[in-house]
Amino acid sequence: MSTVVAIQIDHGVVIAGDSHVTQAGTITSTSANRVIEYDQIGAGVVGQSGAVNSFERRFESELKKYELEASGELAIDAASQIAVACAENTGIEAVVGGYDENKIAQLRQIDDDESILPEQQIALGSGAQLALGQLGAVNNSQSIASAEETARSILKTAAQRDPSTGGEIDIWSLANNTENR
């Protein structure tokens, strides 16, 4: 498994994930993508490699379908509902980021029991316990760039202690869009 962390601060949200894939304690890939980006929606996903890949394909397809069928922009709550449907019976855990109706960037945690939880700091995967302790020290007034560095630092620390976390770090961020409110 890998590790994904997500941070919601006063200025927006950041989702970051590492790129290791491990099976039976052996690293089988160092180039997996755990962070998904689709327009103004981002997601971080952990779980078995095949399930993560399946979720990613289905999530992107359902987001495109929603965009074609719905009038208006895709907001965080609709994207979260799509993520729950895509995660059903896969065993994955995910976090979704996007704008609410006021153009404020928000996070939603998608649990394996298909619940949607609004959270400000999320850690998923094999390094989650290590990351949660560090997330408690996040300064909510920091900039997006600073929050990206914080997420990168948390994942690097997790990689030092968790053999299933490591490799490259992918980061997606979304700043609040207060100009268009």
Side-chain angles (χ1 to χ4, degrees), residues 136-149:
V138 167
N139 177 353
N140 285 337
S141 64
Q142 67 184 316
S143 67
I144 292 286
S146 179
E148 288 175 353
E149 265 318 299

Side-chain angles (χ1 to χ4, degrees), residues 4 9 22 28 36 65 69 82 89 119 123 126 133 136 138 147 151 159 163 170 173 177 180:
V4 166
I9 54 172
T22 58
T28 58
I36 302 165
K65 180 180 172 185
E69 294 175 354
I82 291 169
N89 299 319
E119 298 285 348
S126 58
V138 167
D170 294 319
S173 61
N177 188 354
N180 294 331

Side-chain angles (χ1 to χ4, degrees), residues 37-110:
E37 182 176 341
Y38 182 80
D39 289 335
Q40 296 177 349
I41 299 294
V45 188
V46 296
Q48 295 299 319
S49 185
V52 169
N53 293 337
S54 176
F55 172 85
E56 182 176 355
R57 284 189 304 275
R58 187 167 174 216
F59 187 58
E60 187 170 338
S61 173
E62 292 297 322
L63 290 174
K64 286 179 184 177
K65 180 180 172 185
Y66 181 94
E67 198 172 56
L68 290 172
E69 294 175 354
S71 59
E73 294 182 5
L74 180 62
I76 183 68
D77 291 328
S80 298
Q81 291 295 331
I82 291 169
V84 164
C86 294
E88 186 176 8
N89 299 319
T90 63
I92 62 106
E93 294 178 276
V95 56
V96 177
Y99 287 130
D100 66 10
E101 61 280 351
N102 296 315
K103 295 292 189 183
I104 303 297
Q106 302 280 316
L107 293 173
R108 300 290 186 268
Q109 182 173 342
I110 311 301

Side-chain angles (χ1 to χ4, degrees), residues 103-169:
K103 295 292 189 183
I104 303 297
Q106 302 280 316
L107 293 173
R108 300 290 186 268
Q109 182 173 342
I110 311 301
D111 277 341
D112 53 6
D113 67 357
E114 300 174 17
S115 61
I116 300 172
L117 306 169
E119 298 285 348
Q120 292 191 345
Q121 296 153 349
I122 300 167
L124 307 171
S126 58
Q129 294 288 24
L130 298 166
L132 281 172
Q134 294 180 45
L135 283 170
V138 167
N139 177 353
N140 285 337
S141 64
Q142 67 184 316
S143 67
I144 292 286
S146 179
E148 288 175 353
E149 265 318 299
T150 299
R152 186 181 314 281
S153 175
I154 289 170
L155 286 171
K156 285 181 179 179
T157 300
Q160 292 172 352
R161 297 187 178 115
D162 173 36
S164 295
T165 300
E168 298 296 317
I169 296 172

